[in-house]
Amino acid sequence: RRVHGEIIAEHTVHLVMLRRSVPTVFRKLRYLSTSTVNEQEVQKFSALAKEWWNPNGPMCALHDMNPIRVSYIRQKAVAHLNLPKDSPVPFKALDALDLGCGAGILTEAIARLGASVVGVDATSEVIEVAKLHSIRDPVVERNVRYMCTTAEDLVREDRHFDIICSMEVVEHVNDLPGFLASASKLLRPGGSLFLSTINRTPSSYAAAIIMAEHIFGLAPKGTHEWNKFVKPDELVALLTQSKLTFESIQGVAYNPLGRKWVYTSSVDVNYMMHATKPVI
């Protein structure tokens, strides 16, 4: 047994060393060949990986946003899928996909609602952080599988889900129509797709870039590009193009002093959207 253990350990060390020795350029090729992944965004969020789970770090606004987006997802999914609204695990027996999951802030919350969740991100560093964090909670560890892959790869694998969440992601992809088309293919008929993003308005430039990045430091400078923000009507048109049905939109606003997100009737800056896939 000792000899076998030593051999396994030796091979493991060799594999780790081999992986580390592969030039970065080869690890990038996989992402560059996938149209919807923006390599600059991958590198940007890779640098934030180690701080992702620090609630007072560079991702603090994302941590603060999680309760309100989980509430929105739960409310709309329960109503649309006719789930038990008073159950602590209303998503039990459902398959969910967190597309662009980062280090798993939303993924873990969806898992605690009972779903079997696949968390997907194109940034390997944040996926490793997500995996390490998931073992802290037996429920999360049991219900979540993290993958460093893309929506297009999942389509090729013929995967399908009842609920798909892609929150704070669409403003970071290269090919938004292609990304949403892949999401549509991954969604089961009757399923729900949840998105959140930032409107492209003068107000969003002031709030999401000048105030959030340069004044309050709620996000690292350069996190957002205003010209990649998405207007609601543009997003609805792309959802329709991908054979999805727009269901609802909800504006949300952040109070950086109180560190609290609230619902608002305005969608001038941040908003969440619910779409569904018709039953054939």
Side-chain angles (χ1 to χ4, degrees):
R1 290 182 182 177
R2 185 181 64 82
V3 172
H4 284 298
E6 289 176 352
I7 292 173
I8 291 171
E10 182 179 353
H11 281 291
T12 300
V13 170
H14 287 166
L15 286 171
V16 171
M17 291 177 66
L18 179 61
R19 180 181 177 185
R20 290 176 177 175
S21 68
V22 176
T24 304
V25 65
F26 289 106
R27 287 188 285 135
K28 289 181 179 180
L29 287 176
R30 180 173 178 273
Y31 303 123
L32 290 172
S33 64
T34 306
S35 62
T36 68
V37 173
N38 186 316
E39 173 62 15
Q40 288 183 331
E41 298 293 331
V42 169
Q43 296 301 315
K44 183 188 302 180
F45 290 108
S46 174
L48 297 171
K50 292 181 180 179
E51 286 292 309
W52 209 281
W53 277 100
N54 179 359
N56 299 308
M59 310 305 287
C60 64
L62 202 59
H63 282 271
D64 296 341
M65 191 183 198
N66 211 44
I68 201 168
R69 59 184 185 175
V70 171
S71 175
Y72 179 76
I73 292 166
R74 176 176 179 146
Q75 175 191 358
K76 298 301 180 181
V78 162
H80 177 71
L81 297 171
N82 195 27
L83 303 174
K85 65 178 182 179
D86 295 324
S87 170
V89 285
F91 293 176
K92 188 176 181 180
L94 295 181
D95 295 315
L97 171 65
D98 189 1
L99 193 53
C101 65
I105 296 172
L106 178 65
T107 318
E108 292 197 3
I110 299 300
R112 293 188 186 100
L113 291 177
S116 175
V117 192
V118 174
V120 165
D121 203 282
T123 308
S124 59
E125 286 82 358
V126 296
I127 286 293
E128 292 306 313
V129 171
K131 288 178 179 178
L132 286 172
H133 195 272
S134 69
I135 64 177
R136 301 184 181 193
D137 184 336
V139 173
V140 172
E141 187 177 19
R142 182 174 64 250
N143 289 355
V144 174
R145 180 189 176 196
Y146 287 111
M147 302 171 64
C148 183
T149 187
T150 65
E152 291 82 3
D153 286 343
L154 292 178
V155 170
R156 283 188 281 269
E157 294 173 12
D158 199 30
R159 302 292 297 271
H160 298 96
F161 303 88
D162 303 295
I163 296 173
I164 297 178
C165 306
S166 194
M167 315 299 273
E168 293 76 57
V169 173
V170 298
E171 69 271 24
H172 298 289
V173 301
N174 262 347
D175 174 14
L176 185 52
F179 179 80
L180 293 175
S182 293
S184 178
K185 292 174 184 176
L186 293 168
L187 190 63
R188 289 190 177 119
S192 284
L193 171 67
F194 294 94
L195 305 169
S196 65
T197 189
I198 307 174
N199 200 347
R200 193 173 65 256
T201 63
S203 296
S204 70
Y205 186 85
I209 295 180
I210 294 176
M211 294 181 67
E213 296 185 14
H214 295 271
I215 296 178
F216 288 105
L218 300 173
K221 293 179 181 177
T223 296
H224 297 111
E225 297 177 38
W226 183 82
N227 64 343
K228 296 188 73 174
F229 292 172
V230 187
K231 291 181 175 291
D233 59 340
E234 296 171 348
L235 193 51
V236 171
L238 290 174
L239 289 170
T240 303
Q241 181 179 309
S242 297
K243 301 179 181 179
L244 297 170
T245 302
F246 165 76
E247 296 288 345
S248 70
I249 186 171
Q250 177 63 61
V252 290
Y254 187 55
N255 177 353
L257 299 179
R259 290 191 57 175
K260 186 175 179 62
W261 287 88
V262 296
Y263 289 135
T264 174
S265 59
S266 172
V267 295
D268 279 356
V269 186
N270 294 84
Y271 65 92
M272 298 183 289
M273 191 173 286
H274 176 212
T276 58
K277 187 170 184 176
V279 177
I280 300 173

